[in-house]
Amino acid sequence: MSGPPDLSKALEQSGLIDVAYFVEDGPAGSVLLASTSLGLVRVAFLGAERAALEPVLVELSHRLSPRVLESRQRLDTARRELDEFFSGRRRSFEVPLDWALVKPGFTRRVLESTARIPFGQTLSYRGVAALAGNDRAFRAAGTALGSNPLPIVVPCHRVLHAGGGLGGYTGGLEVKRTLLRIEGVLPDTRATST
Amino acid sequence: MELPPFQLLLDRYSHDVHRFLIANVGITDADDCYQETWISALRAYPHLQHATNLRGWLLTIAARKAIDLHRARGRAAVTMADLPEHGHVDRPDDDPVWEAVARLPPKQRAAVVLRFLLDAEYATVAASMGISEAAARRNVHEGLSRLRKGHGYEWTA
């Protein structure tokens, strides 16, 4: 026995955590889930050895509240839904969302349109721009998707180039391929496993 | 005011806060004081004006919790008889000097612990104890002098 006692329960019960987060390891690598009292506010791919953890926490602190603390319990629902999605038992997310990190206007409309693309289906950048109300703004739609603070849950991986190319992805193209394989859009013929 | 995420404070300073409280209030009460310290800090954190010395700020809160506890116990009870017998924390518990430190008067003990166990600057010692830097130096020197006379320990400030 050594060191200070674990405060996670006491801090959870204090009601003073404004932004709770937890890191899950799965097929998409280490994924941070963060939640406010309103709902899931951030999903972030942390890369190898969770290198991006501190910058993401700093971003949450500066943009939402410095009361950022790890809490497994506060992320229970999101963690369960994500786990079910990865194991093929869930096709859509029900966890409430907090859009606080999304720029209002066109970006918000693009991401809300993206959230309505069903599991296993894809749309082109132009298609998403059209759903958001301006089919000529496909470049702006690409930028909006690139800024998605809620990847996987707001499924920007379902937006592809019209010609069949994968387009881009914040978590890297390998993660995008993994997600599309889970949904059966890409054939499940992986040479390596994670 | 752009403050670092609170979790980073917890990750970086939890050991310092805990060691400070063990040395100040003893192992039995340290855990309660420790929890109260962090809850108070979390409550006050968004209103903090300066982020220049967050460790000092946390130790200030911990020092206040320790003082509150001493007041609640009454002065006579401040004996620190309940220091750990074995190495519960990563500090030199087997060194009898800590037994002697534990018997110092509260202010001298707090100052000596901050200066030597936590390696704090005099400014931090002063801020943590709510006293001037001169008074912090005086408390450290008086504490060291007492240790030297009473127990033959030779430390330099």
Side-chain angles (χ1 to χ4, degrees):
Chain A
M1 184 189 106
S2 74
D6 179 16
L7 290 185
S8 39
K9 275 225 168 56
L11 292 169
E12 270 163 5
Q13 284 163 4
S14 75
L16 292 169
I17 304 180
D18 293 333
V19 185
Y21 76 90
F22 199 77
V23 178
E24 285 282 295
D25 293 311
S30 294
V31 174
L32 169 132
L33 302 167
S35 186
T36 65
S37 59
L38 296 176
L40 192 67
V41 73
R42 185 80 168 97
V43 176
F45 301 104
L46 300 183
E49 302 187 353
R50 306 186 174 192
L53 177 60
E54 191 165 320
V56 173
L57 297 182
V58 168
E59 176 209 356
L60 293 171
S61 178
H62 292 176
R63 293 193 60 190
L64 298 172
S65 160
R67 285 180 184 149
V68 179
L69 276 164
E70 186 176 20
S71 165
R72 170 185 282 269
Q73 186 206 318
R74 284 268 302 267
L75 276 306
D76 262 354
T77 308
R79 288 170 49 229
R80 182 172 36 80
E81 290 193 5
L82 192 68
D83 180 55
E84 288 166 357
F85 174 82
F86 282 140
S87 59
R89 289 175 288 136
R90 170 170 291 276
R91 297 169 67 91
S92 67
F93 290 92
E94 286 152 51
V95 60
L97 302 182
D98 179 347
W99 296 83
L101 296 174
V102 177
K103 215 164 110 186
F106 186 69
T107 300
R108 170 89 183 242
R109 290 202 301 278
V110 166
L111 293 180
E112 283 179 337
S113 305
T114 305
R116 291 195 293 270
I117 307 173
F119 182 95
Q121 295 185 31
T122 61
L123 212 56
S124 66
Y125 287 88
R126 190 180 293 275
V128 165
L131 274 181
N134 184 355
D135 70 342
R136 283 176 303 176
F138 56 90
R139 279 183 201 282
T143 305
L145 290 161
S147 74
N148 181 11
L150 293 160
I152 307 179
V153 178
V154 172
C156 55
H157 60 275
R158 291 174 195 156
V159 182
L160 308 177
H161 277 312
L166 276 182
Y169 197 62
T170 50
L173 284 182
E174 194 44 51
V175 173
K176 190 168 189 170
R177 281 190 202 99
T178 301
L179 296 170
L180 292 170
R181 280 192 200 102
I182 287 169
E183 302 196 14
V185 173
L186 291 180
D188 194 0
T189 53
R190 310 185 64 190
T192 55
S193 63
T194 46
Chain B
M1 186 69 235
E2 292 201 330
L3 294 162
F6 195 79
Q7 182 69 46
L8 296 187
L9 271 64
L10 195 57
D11 293 344
R12 282 172 197 164
Y13 305 125
S14 60
H15 280 86
D16 283 355
V17 171
H18 196 237
R19 289 159 76 185
F20 172 75
L21 286 167
I22 287 177
N24 260 287
V25 302
I27 193 99
T28 323
D29 291 312
D31 286 4
D32 281 350
C33 280
Y34 176 79
Q35 179 170 321
E36 284 177 27
T37 297
W38 283 104
I39 301 272
S40 292
L42 180 59
R43 182 174 288 115
Y45 192 48
H47 315 294
L48 202 60
Q49 298 297 314
H50 305 283
T52 44
N53 186 359
L54 292 168
R55 183 168 173 266
W57 174 69
L58 287 163
L59 293 175
T60 307
I61 297 172
R64 280 197 211 113
K65 298 293 175 195
I67 289 166
D68 289 350
L69 184 78
H70 289 318
R71 284 206 186 110
R73 280 172 171 179
R75 294 181 67 91
V78 188
T79 57
M80 303 284 304
D82 47 357
L83 264 182
E85 298 268 324
H86 307 288
H88 285 93
V89 290
D90 51 342
R91 51 169 246 186
D93 281 322
D94 50 343
D95 187 335
V97 70
W98 294 109
E99 294 286 340
V101 169
R103 286 192 292 273
L104 290 174
K107 278 192 174 173
Q108 292 176 16
R109 181 178 61 233
V112 168
V113 163
L114 283 164
R115 184 76 185 96
F116 290 99
L117 186 61
L118 299 178
D119 198 27
E121 302 292 330
Y122 278 108
T124 302
V125 176
S128 304
M129 296 177 65
I131 58 179
S132 71
E133 210 174 310
R137 284 180 188 274
R138 200 164 56 242
N139 275 301
V140 169
H141 283 283
E142 283 168 6
L144 292 185
S145 153
R146 194 181 283 252
L147 289 173
R148 197 157 45 231
K149 281 180 198 146
H151 310 278
Y153 294 116
E154 282 295 342
W155 279 354
T156 48

